[in-house]
Amino acid sequence: MSTLQKTNGSHTEGLRETIQCALEYLIPKDDKTEETEYHKRVRKSIEEPMETEDDRDYTTEEIRQTIKSIDYKKATGEDGITSKILMWTFERFPSLVTSLYNGCLRKGCFPNRWKRARIISLTKPGKENCKDASKYWPISLLNAGGKVLEKLFINRIMHFLYSNDLLNQNQFAFTPQRSTTDAAMAVKDFIDEAPTKGHIVALVSLDVKGAFDAAWGPSVVKALKDFHCPRNLYYLTKNYFTDRSAFIATNSMRIETAANKGCSQGSCCGPGYWNIQYNSLLNLNYAKQTKAIAYANDLLIAVKAETRAEVENLTNTEMTKIMKWSKENILQFNEQKSKVMLISRRRKERKAMDIYLKQ
């Protein structure tokens, strides 16, 4: 790692300070000091007992298939155990391994040793000479045993949500039998009919800063409570978001920090939990002329109206709703990556629009 510029404008002196600076930027923190009354109510609500029924125990075959799905060629976590070693152990002691994972499910406990992520910082292409910590892309190396537990419970949670049709159909990422093509076709279908009726369409593309590692744990847990998720899966999720940590290690030192917000990059449950949190954004009370379409953390707001002034006003109204949602979920949109496009057959309407992203 090379010298970095700190937020106060000074530069790091030595490897330890550089690593600490990188970790401070790369690992988001759940800061309670700036929370509103809404955030406090969310935290209080998830502390209340869950009254739903428990989901059934994991089967031995379910655990076998989950271990098999973890690529043994991928880099290992802190304990150095690959999924191949885990499978070798499982084949010899299937009852023991099954009891271990079912014990985690029954007690709602995600072991702390599986909550530690080793961070490997990769330099982004073209930013080799940059002195800002944003030059790095953090890859989290997680223990294989924890990855298996993550897959086991997120698969159960997503099965529950899909079986009960609880997720918005306008999320096209990390969703079975859906792709970017489906998302593009949904946008096309919305736009196609507008010109024939003399309407103008405004498209606003928004990108969330950080995505998975920026997801606010209490918001995800509250969403599961509102969905009446099985009790043991709910408590396991709640425990998953507590006491997490991340570290960068060299030959001579190891520096660790709390990672109490979001899911690690490379986690198995990150995409599923992201869709659960983002679902409330897609379910906002939009106007009937508006359509919200998401692909992972990318959001497209399509608005149609008869005049340019009307579409501009309506779009800004929808943006106000979205900004309120972002504050409640402690997320920020990337202004540099946010774009606006106006679609119209009338040349006089093709002027710049004033669309506001007030964060």
PDB file of all heavy atoms in Angstrom, residues 120-155:
ATOM      1  N   ILE A 120      -8.577  -7.653   1.502  1.00  0.00           N
ATOM      2  CA  ILE A 120      -7.537  -7.528   0.485  1.00  0.00           C
ATOM      3  C   ILE A 120      -7.912  -6.307  -0.358  1.00  0.00           C
ATOM      4  O   ILE A 120      -8.990  -6.273  -0.962  1.00  0.00           O
ATOM      5  CB  ILE A 120      -7.450  -8.781  -0.406  1.00  0.00           C
ATOM      6  CG1 ILE A 120      -7.205 -10.022   0.457  1.00  0.00           C
ATOM      7  CG2 ILE A 120      -6.371  -8.610  -1.458  1.00  0.00           C
ATOM      8  CD1 ILE A 120      -5.900 -10.009   1.206  1.00  0.00           C
ATOM      9  N   SER A 121      -7.054  -5.304  -0.377  1.00  0.00           N
ATOM     10  CA  SER A 121      -7.376  -4.069  -1.103  1.00  0.00           C
ATOM     11  C   SER A 121      -6.761  -4.113  -2.496  1.00  0.00           C
ATOM     12  O   SER A 121      -5.546  -4.125  -2.646  1.00  0.00           O
ATOM     13  CB  SER A 121      -6.870  -2.851  -0.325  1.00  0.00           C
ATOM     14  OG  SER A 121      -5.501  -2.995  -0.011  1.00  0.00           O
ATOM     15  N   LEU A 122      -7.617  -4.131  -3.503  1.00  0.00           N
ATOM     16  CA  LEU A 122      -7.166  -4.127  -4.894  1.00  0.00           C
ATOM     17  C   LEU A 122      -7.247  -2.703  -5.439  1.00  0.00           C
ATOM     18  O   LEU A 122      -8.228  -2.000  -5.229  1.00  0.00           O
ATOM     19  CB  LEU A 122      -8.048  -5.053  -5.739  1.00  0.00           C
ATOM     20  CG  LEU A 122      -8.141  -6.513  -5.287  1.00  0.00           C
ATOM     21  CD1 LEU A 122      -9.034  -7.298  -6.235  1.00  0.00           C
ATOM     22  CD2 LEU A 122      -6.752  -7.144  -5.223  1.00  0.00           C
ATOM     23  N   THR A 123      -6.215  -2.294  -6.150  1.00  0.00           N
ATOM     24  CA  THR A 123      -6.196  -0.950  -6.730  1.00  0.00           C
ATOM     25  C   THR A 123      -7.051  -0.916  -7.990  1.00  0.00           C
ATOM     26  O   THR A 123      -6.913  -1.762  -8.873  1.00  0.00           O
ATOM     27  CB  THR A 123      -4.756  -0.529  -7.075  1.00  0.00           C
ATOM     28  OG1 THR A 123      -3.946  -0.642  -5.897  1.00  0.00           O
ATOM     29  CG2 THR A 123      -4.714   0.898  -7.573  1.00  0.00           C
ATOM     30  N   LYS A 124      -7.919   0.071  -8.074  1.00  0.00           N
ATOM     31  CA  LYS A 124      -8.788   0.207  -9.239  1.00  0.00           C
ATOM     32  C   LYS A 124      -7.963   0.613 -10.457  1.00  0.00           C
ATOM     33  O   LYS A 124      -7.020   1.398 -10.331  1.00  0.00           O
ATOM     34  CB  LYS A 124      -9.880   1.246  -8.965  1.00  0.00           C
ATOM     35  CG  LYS A 124     -10.821   0.865  -7.836  1.00  0.00           C
ATOM     36  CD  LYS A 124     -11.808   1.975  -7.542  1.00  0.00           C
ATOM     37  CE  LYS A 124     -12.717   1.621  -6.367  1.00  0.00           C
ATOM     38  NZ  LYS A 124     -13.638   2.723  -6.020  1.00  0.00           N
ATOM     39  N   PRO A 125      -8.304   0.092 -11.643  1.00  0.00           N
ATOM     40  CA  PRO A 125      -7.564   0.439 -12.856  1.00  0.00           C
ATOM     41  C   PRO A 125      -7.556   1.947 -13.108  1.00  0.00           C
ATOM     42  O   PRO A 125      -8.586   2.612 -12.988  1.00  0.00           O
ATOM     43  CB  PRO A 125      -8.347  -0.294 -13.967  1.00  0.00           C
ATOM     44  CG  PRO A 125      -9.054  -1.401 -13.265  1.00  0.00           C
ATOM     45  CD  PRO A 125      -9.378  -0.878 -11.906  1.00  0.00           C
ATOM     46  N   GLY A 126      -6.390   2.474 -13.434  1.00  0.00           N
ATOM     47  CA  GLY A 126      -6.265   3.888 -13.731  1.00  0.00           C
ATOM     48  C   GLY A 126      -6.056   4.771 -12.521  1.00  0.00           C
ATOM     49  O   GLY A 126      -5.872   5.979 -12.646  1.00  0.00           O
ATOM     50  N   LYS A 127      -6.087   4.172 -11.305  1.00  0.00           N
ATOM     51  CA  LYS A 127      -5.935   4.976 -10.089  1.00  0.00           C
ATOM     52  C   LYS A 127      -4.661   4.620  -9.315  1.00  0.00           C
ATOM     53  O   LYS A 127      -4.563   4.865  -8.121  1.00  0.00           O
ATOM     54  CB  LYS A 127      -7.154   4.803  -9.187  1.00  0.00           C
ATOM     55  CG  LYS A 127      -8.424   5.419  -9.749  1.00  0.00           C
ATOM     56  CD  LYS A 127      -9.493   5.551  -8.688  1.00  0.00           C
ATOM     57  CE  LYS A 127     -10.692   6.325  -9.208  1.00  0.00           C
ATOM     58  NZ  LYS A 127     -11.714   6.544  -8.165  1.00  0.00           N
ATOM     59  N   GLU A 128      -3.707   4.052 -10.042  1.00  0.00           N
ATOM     60  CA  GLU A 128      -2.479   3.601  -9.392  1.00  0.00           C
ATOM     61  C   GLU A 128      -1.731   4.739  -8.695  1.00  0.00           C
ATOM     62  O   GLU A 128      -1.100   4.536  -7.653  1.00  0.00           O
ATOM     63  CB  GLU A 128      -1.554   2.929 -10.416  1.00  0.00           C
ATOM     64  CG  GLU A 128      -2.047   1.591 -10.944  1.00  0.00           C
ATOM     65  CD  GLU A 128      -3.126   1.731 -12.019  1.00  0.00           C
ATOM     66  OE1 GLU A 128      -3.394   2.871 -12.446  1.00  0.00           O
ATOM     67  OE2 GLU A 128      -3.680   0.703 -12.431  1.00  0.00           O
ATOM     68  N   ASN A 129      -1.769   5.941  -9.259  1.00  0.00           N
ATOM     69  CA  ASN A 129      -1.035   7.074  -8.692  1.00  0.00           C
ATOM     70  C   ASN A 129      -1.896   7.967  -7.807  1.00  0.00           C
ATOM     71  O   ASN A 129      -1.432   9.003  -7.329  1.00  0.00           O
ATOM     72  CB  ASN A 129      -0.424   7.907  -9.826  1.00  0.00           C
ATOM     73  CG  ASN A 129       0.578   7.100 -10.642  1.00  0.00           C
ATOM     74  OD1 ASN A 129       1.350   6.317 -10.084  1.00  0.00           O
ATOM     75  ND2 ASN A 129       0.573   7.286 -11.960  1.00  0.00           N
ATOM     76  N   CYS A 130      -3.144   7.589  -7.622  1.00  0.00           N
ATOM     77  CA  CYS A 130      -4.053   8.374  -6.774  1.00  0.00           C
ATOM     78  C   CYS A 130      -3.670   8.202  -5.303  1.00  0.00           C
ATOM     79  O   CYS A 130      -3.230   7.135  -4.881  1.00  0.00           O
ATOM     80  CB  CYS A 130      -5.488   7.910  -7.012  1.00  0.00           C
ATOM     81  SG  CYS A 130      -6.703   8.723  -5.951  1.00  0.00           S
ATOM     82  N   LYS A 131      -3.835   9.262  -4.523  1.00  0.00           N
ATOM     83  CA  LYS A 131      -3.490   9.209  -3.102  1.00  0.00           C
ATOM     84  C   LYS A 131      -4.725   9.173  -2.200  1.00  0.00           C
ATOM     85  O   LYS A 131      -4.617   9.301  -0.990  1.00  0.00           O
ATOM     86  CB  LYS A 131      -2.597  10.394  -2.731  1.00  0.00           C
ATOM     87  CG  LYS A 131      -1.212  10.337  -3.369  1.00  0.00           C
ATOM     88  CD  LYS A 131      -0.309  11.388  -2.800  1.00  0.00           C
ATOM     89  CE  LYS A 131       1.059  11.326  -3.429  1.00  0.00           C
ATOM     90  NZ  LYS A 131       1.751  10.047  -3.171  1.00  0.00           N
ATOM     91  N   ASP A 132      -5.895   8.990  -2.818  1.00  0.00           N
ATOM     92  CA  ASP A 132      -7.129   8.915  -2.052  1.00  0.00           C
ATOM     93  C   ASP A 132      -7.455   7.448  -1.764  1.00  0.00           C
ATOM     94  O   ASP A 132      -7.185   6.571  -2.591  1.00  0.00           O
ATOM     95  CB  ASP A 132      -8.277   9.561  -2.839  1.00  0.00           C
ATOM     96  CG  ASP A 132      -9.493   9.776  -1.967  1.00  0.00           C
ATOM     97  OD1 ASP A 132      -9.568  10.826  -1.311  1.00  0.00           O
ATOM     98  OD2 ASP A 132     -10.364   8.888  -1.950  1.00  0.00           O
ATOM     99  N   ALA A 133      -8.042   7.192  -0.590  1.00  0.00           N
ATOM    100  CA  ALA A 133      -8.361   5.804  -0.218  1.00  0.00           C
ATOM    101  C   ALA A 133      -9.387   5.174  -1.144  1.00  0.00           C
ATOM    102  O   ALA A 133      -9.515   3.953  -1.197  1.00  0.00           O
ATOM    103  CB  ALA A 133      -8.867   5.754   1.226  1.00  0.00           C
ATOM    104  N   SER A 134     -10.117   5.993  -1.901  1.00  0.00           N
ATOM    105  CA  SER A 134     -11.110   5.466  -2.838  1.00  0.00           C
ATOM    106  C   SER A 134     -10.478   4.726  -4.000  1.00  0.00           C
ATOM    107  O   SER A 134     -11.180   4.103  -4.795  1.00  0.00           O
ATOM    108  CB  SER A 134     -11.978   6.616  -3.376  1.00  0.00           C
ATOM    109  OG  SER A 134     -11.189   7.545  -4.101  1.00  0.00           O
ATOM    110  N   LYS A 135      -9.139   4.781  -4.114  1.00  0.00           N
ATOM    111  CA  LYS A 135      -8.441   4.051  -5.176  1.00  0.00           C
ATOM    112  C   LYS A 135      -8.538   2.538  -4.978  1.00  0.00           C
ATOM    113  O   LYS A 135      -8.330   1.774  -5.901  1.00  0.00           O
ATOM    114  CB  LYS A 135      -6.968   4.461  -5.206  1.00  0.00           C
ATOM    115  CG  LYS A 135      -6.168   4.007  -3.979  1.00  0.00           C
ATOM    116  CD  LYS A 135      -4.748   4.540  -3.958  1.00  0.00           C
ATOM    117  CE  LYS A 135      -3.855   3.812  -4.919  1.00  0.00           C
ATOM    118  NZ  LYS A 135      -2.439   4.237  -4.779  1.00  0.00           N
ATOM    119  N   TYR A 136      -8.872   2.127  -3.744  1.00  0.00           N
ATOM    120  CA  TYR A 136      -8.897   0.698  -3.422  1.00  0.00           C
ATOM    121  C   TYR A 136     -10.297   0.114  -3.499  1.00  0.00           C
ATOM    122  O   TYR A 136     -11.285   0.775  -3.171  1.00  0.00           O
ATOM    123  CB  TYR A 136      -8.336   0.455  -2.016  1.00  0.00           C
ATOM    124  CG  TYR A 136      -6.858   0.765  -1.885  1.00  0.00           C
ATOM    125  CD1 TYR A 136      -6.421   1.747  -1.010  1.00  0.00           C
ATOM    126  CD2 TYR A 136      -5.911   0.075  -2.642  1.00  0.00           C
ATOM    127  CE1 TYR A 136      -5.072   2.041  -0.882  1.00  0.00           C
ATOM    128  CE2 TYR A 136      -4.562   0.358  -2.532  1.00  0.00           C
ATOM    129  CZ  TYR A 136      -4.147   1.349  -1.653  1.00  0.00           C
ATOM    130  OH  TYR A 136      -2.822   1.627  -1.539  1.00  0.00           O
ATOM    131  N   TRP A 137     -10.357  -1.137  -3.938  1.00  0.00           N
ATOM    132  CA  TRP A 137     -11.599  -1.908  -3.943  1.00  0.00           C
ATOM    133  C   TRP A 137     -11.430  -3.016  -2.904  1.00  0.00           C
ATOM    134  O   TRP A 137     -10.585  -3.890  -3.056  1.00  0.00           O
ATOM    135  CB  TRP A 137     -11.844  -2.505  -5.327  1.00  0.00           C
ATOM    136  CG  TRP A 137     -13.121  -3.295  -5.415  1.00  0.00           C
ATOM    137  CD1 TRP A 137     -13.264  -4.651  -5.326  1.00  0.00           C
ATOM    138  CD2 TRP A 137     -14.444  -2.779  -5.599  1.00  0.00           C
ATOM    139  NE1 TRP A 137     -14.571  -5.003  -5.430  1.00  0.00           N
ATOM    140  CE2 TRP A 137     -15.324  -3.885  -5.600  1.00  0.00           C
ATOM    141  CE3 TRP A 137     -14.964  -1.501  -5.750  1.00  0.00           C
ATOM    142  CZ2 TRP A 137     -16.699  -3.734  -5.759  1.00  0.00           C
ATOM    143  CZ3 TRP A 137     -16.330  -1.359  -5.903  1.00  0.00           C
ATOM    144  CH2 TRP A 137     -17.185  -2.472  -5.917  1.00  0.00           C
ATOM    145  N   PRO A 138     -12.222  -3.002  -1.811  1.00  0.00           N
ATOM    146  CA  PRO A 138     -12.012  -3.982  -0.737  1.00  0.00           C
ATOM    147  C   PRO A 138     -12.671  -5.331  -1.037  1.00  0.00           C
ATOM    148  O   PRO A 138     -13.877  -5.403  -1.250  1.00  0.00           O
ATOM    149  CB  PRO A 138     -12.672  -3.314   0.464  1.00  0.00           C
ATOM    150  CG  PRO A 138     -13.770  -2.476  -0.143  1.00  0.00           C
ATOM    151  CD  PRO A 138     -13.290  -2.036  -1.501  1.00  0.00           C
ATOM    152  N   ILE A 139     -11.879  -6.378  -1.054  1.00  0.00           N
ATOM    153  CA  ILE A 139     -12.405  -7.734  -1.198  1.00  0.00           C
ATOM    154  C   ILE A 139     -12.305  -8.418   0.164  1.00  0.00           C
ATOM    155  O   ILE A 139     -11.239  -8.435   0.778  1.00  0.00           O
ATOM    156  CB  ILE A 139     -11.620  -8.540  -2.251  1.00  0.00           C
ATOM    157  CG1 ILE A 139     -11.675  -7.836  -3.608  1.00  0.00           C
ATOM    158  CG2 ILE A 139     -12.173  -9.956  -2.358  1.00  0.00           C
ATOM    159  CD1 ILE A 139     -13.060  -7.677  -4.187  1.00  0.00           C
ATOM    160  N   SER A 140     -13.409  -8.947   0.632  1.00  0.00           N
ATOM    161  CA  SER A 140     -13.440  -9.599   1.942  1.00  0.00           C
ATOM    162  C   SER A 140     -13.256 -11.104   1.793  1.00  0.00           C
ATOM    163  O   SER A 140     -14.010 -11.754   1.069  1.00  0.00           O
ATOM    164  CB  SER A 140     -14.774  -9.322   2.645  1.00  0.00           C
ATOM    165  OG  SER A 140     -14.956  -7.937   2.825  1.00  0.00           O
ATOM    166  N   LEU A 141     -12.250 -11.639   2.461  1.00  0.00           N
ATOM    167  CA  LEU A 141     -12.042 -13.087   2.493  1.00  0.00           C
ATOM    168  C   LEU A 141     -12.692 -13.618   3.764  1.00  0.00           C
ATOM    169  O   LEU A 141     -12.301 -13.263   4.877  1.00  0.00           O
ATOM    170  CB  LEU A 141     -10.545 -13.417   2.468  1.00  0.00           C
ATOM    171  CG  LEU A 141      -9.762 -12.859   1.266  1.00  0.00           C
ATOM    172  CD1 LEU A 141      -8.325 -13.371   1.290  1.00  0.00           C
ATOM    173  CD2 LEU A 141     -10.428 -13.236  -0.049  1.00  0.00           C
ATOM    174  N   LEU A 142     -13.697 -14.470   3.581  1.00  0.00           N
ATOM    175  CA  LEU A 142     -14.494 -14.969   4.701  1.00  0.00           C
ATOM    176  C   LEU A 142     -14.265 -16.459   4.897  1.00  0.00           C
ATOM    177  O   LEU A 142     -13.976 -17.186   3.935  1.00  0.00           O
ATOM    178  CB  LEU A 142     -15.983 -14.707   4.434  1.00  0.00           C
ATOM    179  CG  LEU A 142     -16.354 -13.237   4.185  1.00  0.00           C
ATOM    180  CD1 LEU A 142     -17.765 -13.133   3.632  1.00  0.00           C
ATOM    181  CD2 LEU A 142     -16.232 -12.429   5.467  1.00  0.00           C
ATOM    182  N   ASN A 143     -14.417 -16.917   6.117  1.00  0.00           N
ATOM    183  CA  ASN A 143     -14.252 -18.339   6.404  1.00  0.00           C
ATOM    184  C   ASN A 143     -15.331 -19.164   5.707  1.00  0.00           C
ATOM    185  O   ASN A 143     -16.508 -18.779   5.688  1.00  0.00           O
ATOM    186  CB  ASN A 143     -14.315 -18.590   7.915  1.00  0.00           C
ATOM    187  CG  ASN A 143     -13.107 -18.008   8.640  1.00  0.00           C
ATOM    188  OD1 ASN A 143     -12.060 -17.782   8.036  1.00  0.00           O
ATOM    189  ND2 ASN A 143     -13.249 -17.765   9.928  1.00  0.00           N
ATOM    190  N   ALA A 144     -14.939 -20.303   5.157  1.00  0.00           N
ATOM    191  CA  ALA A 144     -15.861 -21.148   4.391  1.00  0.00           C
ATOM    192  C   ALA A 144     -17.039 -21.621   5.246  1.00  0.00           C
ATOM    193  O   ALA A 144     -18.167 -21.711   4.762  1.00  0.00           O
ATOM    194  CB  ALA A 144     -15.109 -22.345   3.808  1.00  0.00           C
ATOM    195  N   GLY A 145     -16.774 -21.913   6.514  1.00  0.00           N
ATOM    196  CA  GLY A 145     -17.859 -22.363   7.395  1.00  0.00           C
ATOM    197  C   GLY A 145     -18.945 -21.313   7.524  1.00  0.00           C
ATOM    198  O   GLY A 145     -20.140 -21.632   7.539  1.00  0.00           O
ATOM    199  N   GLY A 146     -18.545 -20.046   7.610  1.00  0.00           N
ATOM    200  CA  GLY A 146     -19.512 -18.960   7.698  1.00  0.00           C
ATOM    201  C   GLY A 146     -20.263 -18.754   6.399  1.00  0.00           C
ATOM    202  O   GLY A 146     -21.453 -18.438   6.394  1.00  0.00           O
ATOM    203  N   LYS A 147     -19.555 -18.961   5.267  1.00  0.00           N
ATOM    204  CA  LYS A 147     -20.218 -18.827   3.962  1.00  0.00           C
ATOM    205  C   LYS A 147     -21.329 -19.858   3.805  1.00  0.00           C
ATOM    206  O   LYS A 147     -22.405 -19.569   3.269  1.00  0.00           O
ATOM    207  CB  LYS A 147     -19.202 -19.000   2.829  1.00  0.00           C
ATOM    208  CG  LYS A 147     -18.306 -17.805   2.589  1.00  0.00           C
ATOM    209  CD  LYS A 147     -17.436 -18.060   1.360  1.00  0.00           C
ATOM    210  CE  LYS A 147     -16.592 -16.847   1.021  1.00  0.00           C
ATOM    211  NZ  LYS A 147     -15.780 -17.075  -0.201  1.00  0.00           N
ATOM    212  N   VAL A 148     -21.078 -21.057   4.290  1.00  0.00           N
ATOM    213  CA  VAL A 148     -22.095 -22.111   4.223  1.00  0.00           C
ATOM    214  C   VAL A 148     -23.316 -21.722   5.041  1.00  0.00           C
ATOM    215  O   VAL A 148     -24.462 -21.852   4.589  1.00  0.00           O
ATOM    216  CB  VAL A 148     -21.515 -23.463   4.703  1.00  0.00           C
ATOM    217  CG1 VAL A 148     -22.622 -24.501   4.835  1.00  0.00           C
ATOM    218  CG2 VAL A 148     -20.440 -23.954   3.741  1.00  0.00           C
ATOM    219  N   LEU A 149     -23.083 -21.216   6.263  1.00  0.00           N
ATOM    220  CA  LEU A 149     -24.207 -20.798   7.111  1.00  0.00           C
ATOM    221  C   LEU A 149     -24.973 -19.644   6.458  1.00  0.00           C
ATOM    222  O   LEU A 149     -26.210 -19.618   6.476  1.00  0.00           O
ATOM    223  CB  LEU A 149     -23.698 -20.392   8.494  1.00  0.00           C
ATOM    224  CG  LEU A 149     -24.769 -19.975   9.513  1.00  0.00           C
ATOM    225  CD1 LEU A 149     -25.827 -21.063   9.666  1.00  0.00           C
ATOM    226  CD2 LEU A 149     -24.136 -19.652  10.858  1.00  0.00           C
ATOM    227  N   GLU A 150     -24.245 -18.698   5.860  1.00  0.00           N
ATOM    228  CA  GLU A 150     -24.895 -17.590   5.157  1.00  0.00           C
ATOM    229  C   GLU A 150     -25.811 -18.110   4.050  1.00  0.00           C
ATOM    230  O   GLU A 150     -26.964 -17.681   3.924  1.00  0.00           O
ATOM    231  CB  GLU A 150     -23.849 -16.658   4.531  1.00  0.00           C
ATOM    232  CG  GLU A 150     -23.167 -15.720   5.506  1.00  0.00           C
ATOM    233  CD  GLU A 150     -22.286 -14.723   4.780  1.00  0.00           C
ATOM    234  OE1 GLU A 150     -22.710 -14.191   3.740  1.00  0.00           O
ATOM    235  OE2 GLU A 150     -21.156 -14.472   5.252  1.00  0.00           O
ATOM    236  N   LYS A 151     -25.288 -19.024   3.235  1.00  0.00           N
ATOM    237  CA  LYS A 151     -26.087 -19.554   2.130  1.00  0.00           C
ATOM    238  C   LYS A 151     -27.298 -20.322   2.634  1.00  0.00           C
ATOM    239  O   LYS A 151     -28.379 -20.241   2.047  1.00  0.00           O
ATOM    240  CB  LYS A 151     -25.221 -20.465   1.242  1.00  0.00           C
ATOM    241  CG  LYS A 151     -24.491 -19.741   0.138  1.00  0.00           C
ATOM    242  CD  LYS A 151     -24.080 -20.682  -0.968  1.00  0.00           C
ATOM    243  CE  LYS A 151     -23.574 -19.907  -2.174  1.00  0.00           C
ATOM    244  NZ  LYS A 151     -23.306 -20.773  -3.334  1.00  0.00           N
ATOM    245  N   LEU A 152     -27.106 -21.065   3.708  1.00  0.00           N
ATOM    246  CA  LEU A 152     -28.212 -21.851   4.242  1.00  0.00           C
ATOM    247  C   LEU A 152     -29.378 -20.959   4.654  1.00  0.00           C
ATOM    248  O   LEU A 152     -30.527 -21.209   4.288  1.00  0.00           O
ATOM    249  CB  LEU A 152     -27.739 -22.678   5.445  1.00  0.00           C
ATOM    250  CG  LEU A 152     -26.891 -23.923   5.132  1.00  0.00           C
ATOM    251  CD1 LEU A 152     -26.260 -24.464   6.408  1.00  0.00           C
ATOM    252  CD2 LEU A 152     -27.738 -25.001   4.462  1.00  0.00           C
ATOM    253  N   PHE A 153     -29.093 -19.892   5.412  1.00  0.00           N
ATOM    254  CA  PHE A 153     -30.229 -19.110   5.905  1.00  0.00           C
ATOM    255  C   PHE A 153     -30.743 -18.096   4.882  1.00  0.00           C
ATOM    256  O   PHE A 153     -31.933 -17.811   4.858  1.00  0.00           O
ATOM    257  CB  PHE A 153     -29.952 -18.474   7.273  1.00  0.00           C
ATOM    258  CG  PHE A 153     -28.940 -17.365   7.331  1.00  0.00           C
ATOM    259  CD1 PHE A 153     -29.224 -16.112   6.825  1.00  0.00           C
ATOM    260  CD2 PHE A 153     -27.720 -17.557   7.961  1.00  0.00           C
ATOM    261  CE1 PHE A 153     -28.314 -15.083   6.923  1.00  0.00           C
ATOM    262  CE2 PHE A 153     -26.798 -16.530   8.074  1.00  0.00           C
ATOM    263  CZ  PHE A 153     -27.094 -15.289   7.540  1.00  0.00           C
ATOM    264  N   ILE A 154     -29.884 -17.576   3.992  1.00  0.00           N
ATOM    265  CA  ILE A 154     -30.416 -16.636   3.005  1.00  0.00           C
ATOM    266  C   ILE A 154     -31.258 -17.379   1.968  1.00  0.00           C
ATOM    267  O   ILE A 154     -32.258 -16.843   1.469  1.00  0.00           O
ATOM    268  CB  ILE A 154     -29.292 -15.815   2.323  1.00  0.00           C
ATOM    269  CG1 ILE A 154     -29.873 -14.574   1.627  1.00  0.00           C
ATOM    270  CG2 ILE A 154     -28.524 -16.664   1.327  1.00  0.00           C
ATOM    271  CD1 ILE A 154     -30.558 -13.600   2.534  1.00  0.00           C
ATOM    272  N   ASN A 155     -30.899 -18.626   1.658  1.00  0.00           N
ATOM    273  CA  ASN A 155     -31.737 -19.423   0.743  1.00  0.00           C
ATOM    274  C   ASN A 155     -33.115 -19.675   1.340  1.00  0.00           C
ATOM    275  O   ASN A 155     -34.136 -19.615   0.643  1.00  0.00           O
ATOM    276  CB  ASN A 155     -31.051 -20.746   0.411  1.00  0.00           C
ATOM    277  CG  ASN A 155     -29.882 -20.584  -0.539  1.00  0.00           C
ATOM    278  OD1 ASN A 155     -29.731 -19.541  -1.179  1.00  0.00           O
ATOM    279  ND2 ASN A 155     -29.044 -21.604  -0.643  1.00  0.00           N
TER     280      ASN A 155
END
